[in-house]
Amino acid sequence: MHHDSTTDIETLAADVREALASGEHVQETVHRLTLKAMHARHVDPDSLRRIITAVMQGVHDGATQHLLHTANQAQAAKTQITAAIAGLDTALAGFAQASKLAIEEAAGQARKYSDTELTRTRSDLEGLENLFLDTLHHTASTAQGLIADILHDLGQHARNNGTAVGFQLKETLATLAQQVAAVGHAQLETGVTLAQKTAEFVGKFASGVLSGIKDRNHR
């Protein structure tokens, strides 16, 4: 666990804010920054909450800052914020995908993770989409004016139409359930933890070695 985790998180919020203020490649940048933050720490629900909150804070601040200097404010803000939220959503989906790949890799080697860890991972993942939606809603309710409206709309849209992380979680949780149910005596426990292995795949997504999830609902 990093001792400088607060600074990591502050840096994450600042980097996201910069991405929105610059307006360049917002979705890709937020996606990559989120994956890098998840790769850098021991991911548990608490650190995921901090990461999501920091990204949302950066989105809010960056959009607020950016609006002051834009002629066509409403459209620009909507475009940037939508892109940033999609980047966060797909990064969280990447995390869920990384768990799935880690489980499949072990199964392919006739190994399995400890039941304790599988159970804990399942409950962490089950709450992930709600964590994302709740934080989005919370940010919307603390924002004002145009930005609040845009965030509320995006939150509503995500609840009605589903999210990239939600779609990916269905697959990951199905894979997890199979792994929990697999009671083959031939299966040795793996030497590494599921968390370590997941982090490894998250790192590959973050650095672009593996291409992760692209936004499914590119509008």
Side-chain angles (χ1 to χ4, degrees):
M1 193 75 180
H2 289 308
H3 293 300
D4 56 349
S5 58
T6 1
T7 34
D8 286 0
I9 290 289
E10 282 162 12
T11 310
L12 175 60
D15 289 346
V16 170
R17 189 180 67 226
E18 287 306 303
L20 264 98
S22 84
E24 296 287 303
H25 311 299
V26 173
Q27 183 171 335
E28 291 78 1
T29 307
V30 172
H31 179 83
R32 196 184 66 248
L33 288 168
T34 307
L35 284 168
K36 275 173 66 179
M38 290 190 296
H39 177 57
R41 55 198 34 241
H42 170 68
V43 174
D44 52 36
D46 188 44
S47 61
L48 280 170
R49 180 178 295 106
R50 285 206 298 273
I51 288 168
I52 295 170
T53 305
V55 172
M56 289 302 309
Q57 183 66 50
V59 169
H60 173 271
D61 296 351
T64 310
Q65 214 177 340
H66 184 60
L67 271 181
L68 307 173
H69 313 288
T70 316
N72 183 5
Q73 294 182 345
Q75 197 40 57
K78 189 171 178 7
T79 306
Q80 301 295 28
I81 293 172
T82 304
I85 301 301
L88 171 58
D89 185 15
T90 52
L92 294 170
F95 173 68
Q97 189 187 14
S99 296
K100 178 174 186 273
L101 293 173
I103 293 165
E104 286 173 342
E105 186 185 83
Q109 300 165 349
R111 289 172 176 270
K112 77 181 283 187
Y113 296 101
S114 78
D115 288 340
T116 327
E117 198 181 18
L118 289 169
T119 309
R120 190 179 64 235
T121 302
R122 175 193 262 170
S123 81
D124 291 357
L125 289 171
E126 279 171 346
L128 187 56
E129 187 184 28
N130 277 337
L131 187 57
F132 169 55
L133 292 172
D134 292 348
T135 313
L136 180 53
H137 178 73
H138 177 71
T139 309
S141 55
T142 55
Q144 281 163 356
L146 179 63
I147 292 176
D149 295 342
I150 294 169
L151 287 169
H152 272 301
D153 286 351
L154 285 170
Q156 212 36 64
H157 183 85
R159 282 190 194 279
N160 296 340
N161 300 304
T163 59
V165 64
F167 285 120
Q168 179 57 48
L169 280 170
K170 285 193 181 67
E171 291 182 17
T172 300
L173 289 165
T175 304
L176 227 156
Q178 289 165 357
Q179 175 77 328
V180 170
V183 284
H185 292 297
Q187 290 189 314
L188 302 163
E189 285 206 1
T190 58
V192 292
T193 66
L194 176 52
Q196 285 169 322
K197 204 64 203 175
T198 298
E200 214 173 280
F201 281 113
V202 167
K204 288 177 180 169
F205 290 147
S207 61
V209 176
L210 276 179
S211 72
I213 306 239
K214 293 287 167 270
D215 184 16
R216 289 167 192 248
N217 9 332
H218 249 324
R219 284 185 284 287

